[in-house]
Every structure is written in structure tokens, then in C-alpha cells.
Amino acid sequence: MHMLWRTLLHSLLSRFGARLGHYDVARTRFITLPTDQDILRHMNNGVYLSIMDIARFDLLHRTGIWAIFLAKGWYPVVVSETISFRKSLTLGQRFTVESRILGFDEKAVYVEQRFVRPDADGAPEVYAQGFIRGRFLKRGGGVVTIDELTDAVGAVPASVTVPHWLLEWSTDVAMPATRAAAPSLWE
């Protein structure tokens, strides 16, 4: 339930946050709450993924992309995601999630998100880093193509490219189109 309240709070804050270009880095501030903690007294790994969702919505709101999607009846879904951890976040620590659109393949968009805190000298230190591959669906049914997406939000700068390793990862972890085609590790 706390994630719902956190989502609603950040949705409100996004309306007043600095406006961003579509490919700018969005910086969303958080603090670790008692409900974020696991039995080892650090932020639970599943909470990181939920906070990444909230930070992506902040990115969409502040870049104006969310308004475009609402007008067109589109909404985002996560196809796959991965996260790596360097340091633990503990109770009461303030941190920032930096989110940016990395680019597109023929079907999806890729977003990088980093959990950052200042180190002892005040320089940004990355505690965790995640990547998502997402698609956009139409409320009336169907998938938003990348051409439809870029027509709606504008041309993609040449500097916006997905690293080759991330494209390979997305292929390697993709689920087959049908259940019958999915090999089981338990059989």
C-alpha cells in the first residue's frame, strides 16, 4: 500500500518538477522508508524495481511524453528488466534515481536507471543500476510501433543509441511467443 501512496505523491510532484527534453536525464528524489526494508535492514531488492517504475513515470510526466500518450490512448509496459547492485541503501537514506531513454530497437524502448547518493566528498556514487526494455500498447488493442512512437514524440537524436550488449541481453532473455514453445528447466 505504501508504494501506491509513494506513486501518487511523485505523480503530484512531477507536475511541478522542472520540464525536460524527451531525451534528458530525469532526477527523481526518494528516501528509504521503514516499509522498504527487508530482514537484513537494507532496501529490499524488489523495492528497487518498484521505485524504478515511479521514477520512469516521473520521466514521462516531466518530458511531456505522458500527455502525448494519454491523448493517443497509449500506455507503457515492461517487457524485461535487469538490475545490478553495488551498495545497499539503508533506512532514512536520501537517494536519487537518474532515468534516461537510451534508445530503441525495432519493437521497444530501452531505459537506464541509476540509484545515486553522494559519496564522502559529495561526488555522485552509483549504488545500483537497472535497465528496462518496454513497449507501448494501445487502449483499443494492439502495439504502438516505433515509427508511431517517434512520429508522436519527435526525431531521435543520433546520440541516443542502445549499447550492443543490451540488445543481445534483450534477445537472450526474451520469452517465446507461446507457452508451448517455452522450454522448461524442470523437465
Side-chain angles (χ1 to χ4, degrees), residues 6-27:
R6 196 178 236 170
T7 302
L8 292 173
L9 171 65
H10 279 279
S11 183
L12 177 67
L13 292 173
S14 293
R15 296 175 204 272
F16 301 104
R19 299 297 100 192
L20 300 169
H22 292 166
Y23 300 98
D24 289 346
V25 175
R27 290 177 175 81

Side-chain angles (χ1 to χ4, degrees), residues 61-98:
H61 278 286
R62 292 174 51 209
T63 59
I65 294 172
W66 188 249
I68 294 168
F69 288 176
L70 285 178
K72 293 190 170 287
W74 298 348
Y75 61 96
V77 294
V78 172
V79 175
S80 51
E81 59 191 329
T82 186
I83 189 167
S84 298
F85 303 95
R86 221 178 127 263
K87 287 179 98 171
S88 296
L89 288 167
T90 57
L91 181 61
Q93 285 186 308
R94 294 183 184 281
F95 62 95
T96 300
V97 177
E98 299 176 342

Side-chain angles (χ1 to χ4, degrees), residues 39-59:
I39 61 171
L40 299 174
R41 296 186 322 206
H42 59 232
M43 193 158 81
N44 178 279
N45 57 300
V47 173
Y48 284 83
L49 299 177
S50 294
I51 287 176
M52 286 169 58
D53 285 344
I54 295 169
R56 280 193 308 279
F57 276 108
D58 181 51
L59 169 73

Side-chain angles (χ1 to χ4, degrees), residues 9 13 33 70 101 112 161:
L9 171 65
L13 292 173
L33 302 174
L70 285 178
I101 296 171
E112 176 186 16
T161 58

Side-chain angles (χ1 to χ4, degrees), residues 2 9 23-24 27 37 41 43 45 51 81 92 102 128-129 134-136 138 143 145 152 157 170 177 183-184:
H2 81 279
L9 171 65
Y23 300 98
D24 289 346
R27 290 177 175 81
Q37 307 303 294
R41 296 186 322 206
M43 193 158 81
N45 57 300
I51 287 176
E81 59 191 329
L102 289 176
Q129 181 179 32
R135 295 185 76 179
F136 299 93
K138 299 174 182 177
V143 176
T145 67
S170 71
S184 174

Side-chain angles (χ1 to χ4, degrees), residues 110-128:
Y110 293 81
V111 177
E112 176 186 16
Q113 296 182 276
R114 303 179 335 155
F115 290 73
V116 178
R117 278 187 43 79
D119 68 9
D121 297 322
E125 182 176 10
V126 178
Y127 277 49

